[in-house]
């Protein structure tokens, strides 16, 4: 398949393949017979060991952090990722920035009540189904995705089904904040007492776009054209100003003594020279220049 960066082939004919598919190249491969030493029990295949590992280590300083950050700690929540923590906290209506120890210590009390000998097995199962706690959802929510095969990158129909399955993660109308590790957490309601500074961002809801009437388009006016219009409305043209000044000059009364001024008379017009005479003068002038010019 695509994005299979590691393949194990059998010696059969035709061979079968075990492929490590990683479209986003987030994963890594190490040869071994168990989880890495820093990882805890798997939330799906080792549920009881996972639950005990969390509840018996609540004195660890890790649990002083917000619950949304602790859910990504693979030492205690091996298999929980970014979208799973958002879905789990949303279903339980737990603020993501509530202190982790505060949330999980309440489960210790519930654990004692579930061990009540007066409760039958059927009642215990019914109680868990009706009121699942945080650790139980860490087991059942990822199983929903696996059983329904919702995360198959090769089939777009499955991805559409995965988006429909999501209730909080990337869902329009939900709020989001970055935690102290730089990961974005989606949630609804109040973020909790340990929330970082800054207002939560709202994922925008899709709103219908209003289209303009094609029969009555509005002309596009640039800022430059708008300035020119304003200037034309306030400042008259230069030609209009000059014409107005001429009119005012003609209407203005003259001042001063009349005998101190000289009367200017136009020069008499010269008689027009015929065209033939003008041509003969040009010819004679050229000849004279040719005779007196330097060689």
């Amino acid at each position: 398949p695509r994005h299979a960066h590691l393949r194990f082939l059998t010696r059969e004919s035709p061979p079968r393949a075990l492929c490590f598919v990683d479209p986003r190249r987030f994963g890594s491969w190490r040869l071994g017979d168990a989880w890495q030493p820093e990882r805890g029990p798997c939330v799906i295949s080792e549920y009881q060991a996972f639950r005990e590992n969390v509840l018996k280590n609540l004195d660890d300083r890790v649990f002083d952090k917000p619950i949304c950050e602790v859910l990504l700690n693979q030492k205690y929540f091996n298999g929980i990722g970014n979208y799973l923590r958002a879905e789990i906290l949303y279903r339980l209506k737990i603020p993501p920035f509530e202190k982790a120890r505060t949330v999980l210590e309440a489960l210790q009390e519930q654990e004692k009540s579930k061990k009540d000998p007066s409760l039958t097995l059927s009642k215990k199962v019914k109680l868990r189904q009706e009121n699942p706690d945080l650790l139980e959802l860490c087991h059942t929510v990822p199983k929903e995705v696996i059983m329904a095969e919702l995360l198959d990158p090769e089939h777009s129909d499955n991805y559409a089904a995965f988006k429909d399955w999501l209730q909080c993660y990337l869902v329009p109308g939900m709020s989001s904040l970055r935690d102290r590790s730089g990961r974005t957490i989606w949630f609804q309601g109040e973020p909790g007492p340990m929330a970082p500074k800054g207002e939560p961002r709202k994922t925008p809801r899709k709103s219908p776009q209003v289209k303009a009437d094609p029969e009555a388009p509005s002309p596009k006016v640039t800022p430059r054209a708008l300035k020119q219009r304003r200037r034309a409305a306030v400042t008259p043209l230069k030609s209009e100003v000059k014409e107005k000044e001429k009119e005012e000059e003609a209407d203005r009364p003259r001042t001063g003594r009349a005998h101190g001024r000289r009367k200017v008379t136009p020069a008499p017009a010269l008689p027009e020279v015929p065209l033939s005479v003008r041509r003969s003068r040009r010819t004679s002038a050229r000849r004279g220049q040719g005779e007196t010019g330097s060689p």
Side-chain angles (χ1 to χ4, degrees), residues 78-218:
N78 181 13
I80 301 300
N82 201 23
Y83 82 92
L84 285 172
R85 67 170 178 171
E87 296 299 315
I88 291 168
L89 294 175
Y90 171 77
R91 294 190 187 190
L92 294 173
K93 307 302 179 187
I94 296 176
F97 291 95
E98 183 66 61
K99 191 174 183 179
R101 185 176 290 105
T102 303
V103 175
L104 295 170
E105 280 180 344
L107 302 187
Q108 289 181 325
E109 298 299 325
Q110 295 179 15
E111 198 76 8
K112 294 177 182 179
S113 62
K114 289 177 182 178
K115 293 179 180 179
D116 187 353
S118 62
L119 293 176
T120 61
L121 180 60
S122 60
K123 288 184 178 180
K124 291 180 180 179
V125 172
K126 186 179 179 180
L127 185 63
R128 288 183 178 179
Q129 291 177 348
E130 293 177 352
N131 300 294
D133 59 36
L134 177 69
L135 300 180
E136 287 170 349
L137 286 188
C138 288
H139 172 66
T140 58
V141 172
K143 281 184 68 175
E144 292 178 12
V145 181
I146 294 172
M147 297 300 293
E149 298 182 352
L150 297 177
L151 282 180
D152 188 351
E154 298 297 327
H155 298 87
S156 58
D157 294 341
N158 284 12
Y159 184 69
F162 172 68
K163 290 180 67 177
D164 292 338
W165 174 84
L166 292 172
Q167 300 179 30
C168 180
Y169 182 78
L170 291 177
V171 174
M174 296 294 169
S175 301
S176 64
L177 275 173
R178 285 187 180 274
D179 60 21
R180 288 169 180 81
S181 61
R183 304 293 297 274
T184 302
I185 176 69
W186 275 262
F187 61 94
Q188 186 181 48
E190 294 297 324
M194 301 182 71
K197 294 180 180 180
E199 292 295 326
R201 294 178 299 171
K202 278 280 187 179
T203 307
R205 295 181 181 273
K206 294 181 180 180
S207 57
Q209 297 181 354
V210 180
K211 295 184 178 180
D213 185 4
E215 297 180 0
S218 58

